[in-house]
Amino acid sequence: MSRPATFVPPAGARAYSLRTARGEFAVVDAPVADGVEPRGVALLLPGFTGSKEDFNPLHVPLAERGYRTLAVDGRGQFESDGPEHDESAYAQEELARDVLAQVAAVETAPVHLMGHSLGGQVSRAAVLLDHSPFASLTLMASGPAQISASQQQRVKLLRDALAVMTMAEVWDAIQAMEAPEETATGGLDGGLDNRADLRRRWMGNKPAQLLAAGRQLCSEPDRVAELAAVPLPFHVLSGALDDTWPLALLDDMAARLGARRTVVEGAEHSPNTDRPLATAQALADFWDAHPTPSG
């Protein structure tokens, strides 16, 4: 899972429930910085077991480049409600239609769309349903099809655990498997306070959402050819290391899409939290090259 340094929105950002035609979704909405000319709006979708807080480090540097950013919890993810046990509510097309409803509710189309990992595959599905509300699509650490075999095994272990354990019991099991040095110092979790926030986020997820998302990640077909036919500019961004989709796959996907390709040195599967300033710069540089009417 992504581990943001803080769950507190940056100064100037507002956390609220965005009302849409398909229900309410928890968002962090960060305006353009004071004195900066607005250049556009971006919608940011988090990955599997992640949340809108994963993008907290990006809001300020993007605001300083003229971009309003809205990070959103998907249906059944952290602070957005959803069915507890009905996996059909989390079918990929349903989540894609949620994204289209979110953009419609923001009322500033076209927007730049960016999805991290699972969020990238949901973003792709939304664009394939209707590309007209979007100015561009960035796939961040999100590959062409199913995740790697090693990650599929981890997802299977999680699914098996959720079948027989409560969410609290699964969390305790995950923590027991942490490396001793991470347990002692906070490690990637960033300390005891952050660990409590991570647990709160985990407990906010609906089990059906985790199960459905895990199945999608392990069975997603290659839809790159379909996406390449869509008249949008594309950006494939990743860290220099990624065990979820090998970099060679991401390189090939970018070539097939005719996309801009960015590799963030010193980052792994979550460039947004590993190297946020470099990631924000790459995003803004790409968006600057594809201005929107509102920007």
Side-chain angles (χ1 to χ4, degrees):
M1 67 178 72
S2 292
R3 293 171 168 87
T6 177
F7 275 64
V8 179
R14 185 165 66 100
Y16 63 93
S17 291
L18 178 69
R19 294 184 178 181
T20 81
R22 291 176 62 84
E24 296 189 4
F25 297 89
V27 301
V28 171
D29 186 344
V32 174
D34 291 342
V36 176
E37 181 181 355
R39 297 189 62 85
V41 179
L43 184 67
L44 315 178
L45 307 186
F48 185 53
T49 73
S51 68
K52 60 191 179 302
E53 286 74 21
D54 295 340
F55 303 116
N56 277 349
L58 300 182
H59 290 302
V60 170
L62 289 172
E64 292 173 347
R65 290 287 296 269
Y67 290 96
R68 175 190 174 194
T69 47
L70 292 97
V72 59
D73 287 337
R75 181 192 303 219
Q77 190 175 42
F78 190 28
E79 294 180 324
S80 290
D81 200 13
E84 190 92 5
H85 302 294
D86 179 11
E87 288 189 47
S88 67
Y90 304 104
Q92 189 182 79
E93 183 173 333
E94 294 298 315
L95 302 183
R97 293 192 183 281
D98 288 347
V99 174
L100 295 174
Q102 292 155 13
V103 174
V106 173
E107 297 181 341
T108 55
V111 305
H112 297 287
L113 182 61
M114 191 271 279
H116 174 226
S117 196
L118 174 71
Q121 297 193 336
V122 173
S123 298
R124 179 172 74 178
V127 166
L128 288 173
L129 278 177
D130 182 5
H131 70 272
S132 63
F134 304 109
S136 72
L137 172 62
T138 296
L139 302 172
M140 184 169 73
S142 185
Q146 73 272 12
I147 56 178
S148 66
S150 63
Q151 290 300 311
Q152 288 188 44
Q153 183 60 31
R154 294 185 68 176
V155 169
K156 183 182 184 300
L157 288 172
L158 175 58
R159 293 206 321 254
D160 290 346
L162 287 170
V164 296
M165 301 166 70
T166 66
M167 289 289 287
E169 289 170 339
V170 173
W171 174 260
D172 290 342
I174 291 172
Q175 296 311 293
M177 294 171 64
E178 290 279 354
E181 61 270 18
E182 290 185 2
T183 302
T185 65
L188 293 174
D189 290 346
L192 295 178
D193 290 343
N194 189 253
R195 189 176 291 275
D197 284 329
L198 289 168
R199 184 184 189 280
R200 181 169 60 88
R201 175 171 72 178
W202 171 260
M203 295 300 297
N205 291 323
K206 303 301 183 186
Q209 186 270 338
L210 293 171
L211 289 168
R215 294 185 205 282
Q216 289 173 34
L217 286 168
C218 294
S219 61
E220 179 72 3
D222 188 321
R223 305 184 71 187
V224 175
E226 291 177 70
L227 187 62
V230 174
L232 282 181
F234 301 115
H235 185 195
V236 175
L237 184 151
S238 73
L241 294 173
D242 198 316
D243 61 356
T244 305
W245 286 279
L247 259 63
L249 279 180
L250 299 177
D251 293 342
D252 178 69
M253 181 175 71
R256 293 165 64 194
L257 290 172
R260 177 179 294 205
R261 179 74 173 104
T262 299
V263 177
V264 180
E265 295 298 330
E268 297 188 17
H269 187 60
S270 297
N272 45 309
T273 54
D274 294 343
R275 293 287 309 280
L277 294 181
T279 300
Q281 180 178 333
L283 290 169
D285 287 349
F286 172 63
W287 295 338
D288 282 355
H290 303 284
T292 65
S294 61

